[in-house]
Amino acid sequence: MFPTPSQVLRQREGTLADTPFPLLLHSLMVEERTCTLELKVRQREKRIVFEDGAPVGCQSNLLHETLGKFLVEKGRLSEADYQKSLAESVSSGLQMGALLIQKSLISPFDLYKQLQANLAHKLLDCFRWTDAKYRLIADAETPDASVRMNTAQLILTGIANVMPFDAVATHFTFTDERRFGQMPGVEAGLKLSSKDARLFQALRQRPTFNELMERTGFDTETVLRRLYALCLLEVSGFVEDVDARAAKLASAPPATPAPAPIVVETPAPVQSAPQAQGTPFSDEDEKARNELVSAFLAHRSKDPFTLLEVTEDVQPVPLRKAFFAWADKHSPLRFQTPELREKAEALLAAYAKAFGALSDAEQNLLWRKRRAAQREKERGNNRPSTAEQFRIRTDLLDATTQFDEARRRLDARNFAGAFEYFEYACDIDPKPLYKAYRAFARYLMKPEAHGRLALQELQDVLREDPGMELGWSFLGEVGMGEGQWPLAEDAYRKAFKLNPKNRRYVELIQEIVKRR
């Protein structure tokens, strides 16, 4: 059905039109690769860092995807605090996240949640980049923060909600008589929504695609998207592949325990919390929780000396005491929830690795040489100047700037120029408002040729955001221009319902009624 992961990764560069983004993600996950995936399309660029097959970082040249702008858009940071923190970050060299914690503008625990959401936002956006060029780079830079994504869940969400449907239909083809089933013995690590679970359960009956639509009640697009994701993740497949895998599992000798089942999101029954034994759990202690998450976020960027907070001439006994102190402070035994315990376990492993490195004479010497080289580099003023850092930041692509320029051109009746800049804005950040303006500018640029396409684009946008008054107004104007009076009247009525103060809509509705 799909090329094997080794076949996909054999080619170091190509286009997402030939090798779709979800196929690359799945291949890197299966092969457990540590590398960097570079994506470029026109002016947009992203570099995604993978560790053992999981995305752990993403650098982007889109302004709205920077942490500060992301926090402003989510209402977690004011624009004034963002601008002030940005200036301080550039002048001091501190990362934005660390500076926000230092200024008490966000707690470490909240910052970790926002970093996760920001990374997911950046990665899901890549599912739109169907015409991008990609390149696999063997080196993987250590990300500034310790955030890790569930690749399988990312693939399911991206295909189901973000990837253009024509790309899904292009890369997932089969004949009408083919039947699908659940693949046995596969551990995907997925949490299924009720809609996903309904489709997954229907696969037990080994239906054809049309039967799957009938049994679930879903439309073609909904079924095809989810079926593509489940087949790519090898959770489902053609029945002959399912039978072949079942026969292979039956003939294999018993080995490891059965894989964990796929989890369906259902409300969990209320249970009483287990009583803590011995040392009380620190989950509800905000200070302990924030200290843990803060240490977890920063541990990747620290060398063994900094991580254990010891001097370069540390002796064995103080080194051992420092290790035990840090291991005890963030011990996994102190935390009850899986999310916090997982971070504590990662820290414990990092402390143990640092202790092992400094206990070994050769590695200890190597780390001291690295520190000396870093000091020499800093002494040589190799760090970029403030002016250079500002220059890099102003190179970020800002959708708002493109949109404002497009509005100016639209007001000047330069419709072709306006469309070009609305297109840029949609490329960078495909907000419904930007897409509505783009469709309207397309129509104004050439009404006799683009009327039908503009109507379709506006209707798609309004399905995405039915509360956009301006979108309904644009739809009404294009509908009138195309002579589709019922559509135009309905659009203006919906715009008036959203903004009853605008009496212009009433006049337009009356005019349409007279014409009809």
Side-chain angles (χ1 to χ4, degrees), residues 367-381:
W367 278 109
R368 279 188 278 132
K369 287 182 177 179
R370 286 178 179 174
R371 279 195 144 201
Q374 182 63 31
R375 285 193 294 268
E376 189 65 29
K377 182 179 179 182
E378 290 173 358
R379 201 174 293 121
N381 293 322

Side-chain angles (χ1 to χ4, degrees), residues 124 136 214 303 507:
L124 286 172
L136 289 168
E214 291 174 7
D303 67 16
E507 297 170 5

